[in-house]
Amino acid sequence: MKVFIAVDNSDIAENACKWYFAKLHKEGNEVIVGHHADQPKLPTMSLESIGSFPASEITKIMTDHNKKLADIEAKFTMIIKDHSNCKVVVQTTADSPGHAIISAASNADMIVIGSRGFGMIKRKILGSVSDYVLHHSNVPVCICPL
């Protein structure tokens, strides 16, 4: 069985990933732990020197972005290190988080995702990635409210 575990840098995602391996994982399952980050917003004009190309600002934004992605990859690589057939995939995408998860999990048999446990009102105002995935996925979705 192919399992896609959708993660971000939150404790909730980390707990959902650990929960999957403790409660559901079977040897032989192929597991992809995936994180899809939003593209960083890059300036087109320098805020330091009006009219000049913002190379130093872009470099700083991209360095910070790449460090965050590397930290996420390292965190989840440590969680899966004792399991075979598992890998961590970290990508930057222009898609919304929910759409990116659905696209990335297109070949999966199941999606595992954490939930922040927002109430109905907060979920309607702020949106919910797990709610989007649940309603747009063609495969079973396991939502872990941890």
Side-chain angles (χ1 to χ4, degrees):
M1 177 161 70
K2 292 181 182 178
V3 178
F4 184 86
I5 303 174
V7 298
D8 57 17
N9 202 23
S10 69
D11 291 339
I12 293 163
E14 183 176 350
N15 291 339
C17 185
K18 288 177 180 177
W19 180 87
Y20 165 80
F21 283 107
K23 304 288 186 187
L24 293 180
H25 184 68
K26 304 278 188 251
E27 278 306 314
N29 283 2
E30 181 182 335
V31 180
I32 297 174
V33 178
H35 174 72
H36 296 278
D38 292 331
Q39 290 179 337
K41 307 291 186 263
L42 300 176
T44 55
M45 256 180 35
S46 176
L47 299 174
E48 296 169 358
S49 176
I50 303 300
S52 66
F53 184 73
S56 62
E57 295 165 45
I58 290 173
T59 300
K60 181 180 179 345
I61 290 168
M62 291 307 298
T63 301
D64 292 347
H65 176 74
N66 290 337
K67 181 175 181 345
K68 286 178 189 175
L69 295 183
D71 290 347
I72 291 170
E73 185 173 15
K75 177 198 292 191
F76 288 100
T77 297
M78 291 303 296
I79 292 171
I80 69 168
K81 70 180 178 359
D82 296 330
H83 303 280
S84 60
N85 273 347
C86 301
K87 66 180 177 179
V88 176
V89 176
V90 177
Q91 296 178 334
T92 301
T93 180
D95 292 335
S96 68
H99 186 73
I101 291 167
I102 296 296
S103 295
S106 62
N107 294 326
D109 298 311
M110 180 172 75
I111 299 171
V112 176
I113 188 169
S115 174
R116 286 181 167 72
F118 289 151
M120 184 173 40
I121 295 171
K122 276 189 178 178
R123 190 169 48 246
K124 290 294 181 195
I125 294 170
L126 299 175
S128 169
V129 174
S130 59
D131 194 54
Y132 179 91
V133 170
L134 179 65
H135 289 94
H136 291 86
S137 175
N138 293 326
V139 299
V141 177
C142 177
I143 299 178
C144 302
L146 303 172

